[in-house]
Amino acid sequence: MANLTNTGISLSTTSKLSSGQKILIGAAMRAHEPAAPDPDLVSSARLPRGHKQYDLLTYARLAVADALTEGVDYTTVQQLFANYMTVDPTEYGIIVSISKRAMDRQPEDLQRMAGEMQGISIRARHAKRVITLYDGFSKSVGGAGTTLDITHLRGSAAYLMTDNDTEFGPAPMPYRYAAHAENISDIVADITQGSASSVTRTAASAQIPDGLPASLLKQWWRGSDRAYGIQVVQSGYIEKDSGDDVKGAIFPAGALFTVTEKENDRATEVDVSHRLTEYGMFRATGEAERADPHGVEMLFDAAATV
């Protein structure tokens, strides 16, 4: 066998032959976008073509009927009254530019990929517009630095079911809670530990009881479970403030309203001089609070669990 050290033979390594080796490109992976269920949690309508705005009327309740006395003229007269509001959709959109050379070289269909990612972006904008309405509810529960527990959900549900407003009346069920993921973590922790988070637990009281608490820990959270009859939904675009606090809301669908003037409107423009194509996607929606007494703002701490 030849002695490589003595003869000075050079080894043919992979680095010397890399220019002739093939590269296999794996399937591209899309970035995972946060959940954006908020537009589906509220009432919605479409604005027909040829209209500029959407008007909503909510008829107020009349006073309770009076007791009558036989033979006595009844002179009390009531009149119908409607709360009036206008929803005027506004437009938003996104444009992606792709060069002809990039489309020729890229193995994926860049036009299709751009459309998928633009759809996610448009949905995110719509969700954020709905989320801004949560801060508008007059009734607020919790506070900065407060840890959410089941008591807050019970109290909020009781408030909504109570006849607090002579015009709108109690909020009709069912209720939805658009919550940050860390707030859902607090709910699960509170239920599974059997008492409010403010209660000091001993080794004995920290034992997880059978039934719902044990089931929650085993199955974790499936995205829209119920707590005290309230559908709890993760709202992925609710953002923390500088103090790690977040604002969600509990409400029935009719408390908030969104109007869509047009669905995702696609447009394409070819720029010959730059040898590229612009792909645009646009949408027009409007969002409004329809019944202030039918919603509760949930302001709570959302510091990371771990």
Side-chain angles (χ1 to χ4, degrees), residues 79-248:
Q79 62 180 150
L80 293 176
F81 173 77
N83 290 288
Y84 171 84
M85 63 176 295
T86 294
V87 183
D88 187 6
T90 57
E91 196 173 26
Y92 47 95
I94 184 171
I95 294 177
V96 173
S97 299
I98 305 175
S99 71
K100 184 179 184 303
R101 196 175 191 188
M103 287 191 285
D104 291 338
R105 290 189 171 188
Q106 198 71 12
E108 293 91 10
D109 184 346
L110 289 185
Q111 181 178 352
R112 178 180 60 82
M113 186 63 64
E116 291 182 14
M117 303 308 289
Q118 285 177 309
I120 293 173
S121 177
I122 291 289
R123 175 72 175 188
R125 173 52 56 191
H126 193 185
K128 287 189 173 187
R129 288 163 67 107
V130 173
I131 289 171
T132 58
L133 299 178
Y134 301 160
D135 189 33
F137 288 125
S138 299
K139 178 65 175 180
S140 182
V141 171
T146 303
T147 300
L148 174 69
D149 62 43
I150 194 65
T151 303
H152 297 108
L153 269 70
R154 292 191 293 107
S156 297
Y159 169 81
L160 292 174
M161 289 186 285
T162 302
D163 191 357
N164 295 306
D165 190 89
T166 56
E167 294 182 1
F168 289 97
M173 297 182 75
Y175 305 141
R176 294 93 181 268
Y177 177 21
H180 189 277
E182 291 294 347
N183 291 154
I184 296 177
S185 175
D186 291 335
I187 294 172
V188 174
D190 188 55
I191 294 175
T192 54
Q193 295 183 38
S195 59
S197 59
S198 58
V199 176
T200 302
R201 296 178 173 84
T202 63
S205 65
Q207 296 299 316
I208 299 172
D210 293 332
L212 175 61
S215 176
L216 278 176
L217 277 189
K218 290 177 182 177
Q219 300 178 17
W220 184 227
W221 203 265
R222 291 165 292 189
S224 61
D225 284 345
R226 293 183 181 274
Y228 197 67
I230 300 171
Q231 183 182 15
V232 182
V233 180
Q234 181 197 354
S235 178
Y237 285 102
I238 292 180
E239 298 178 356
K240 298 181 183 181
D241 63 16
S242 59
D244 280 341
D245 297 310
V246 295
K247 291 181 179 180

Side-chain angles (χ1 to χ4, degrees), residues 238-301:
I238 292 180
E239 298 178 356
K240 298 181 183 181
D241 63 16
S242 59
D244 280 341
D245 297 310
V246 295
K247 291 181 179 180
I250 297 178
F251 53 90
L256 304 175
F257 205 85
T258 180
V259 175
T260 300
E261 181 177 357
K262 59 182 178 181
E263 289 292 351
N264 294 350
D265 183 19
R266 297 172 177 82
T268 303
E269 181 177 339
V270 178
D271 188 333
V272 178
S273 62
H274 288 92
R275 300 171 302 288
L276 57 81
T277 302
E278 291 183 345
Y279 299 95
M281 185 177 292
F282 311 95
R283 195 173 195 183
T285 61
E287 298 75 31
E289 179 188 282
R290 186 172 191 176
D292 180 69
H294 290 178
V296 177
E297 177 198 74
M298 305 290 283
L299 172 59
F300 290 97
D301 177 68

Side-chain angles (χ1 to χ4, degrees), residues 12 31 38 40 55 60 72 78 93 148 216 231 263 281 283 305:
S12 298
D38 305 85
D40 295 330
D55 290 349
V72 177
Q78 298 187 41
L148 174 69
L216 278 176
Q231 183 182 15
E263 289 292 351
M281 185 177 292
R283 195 173 195 183
T305 304

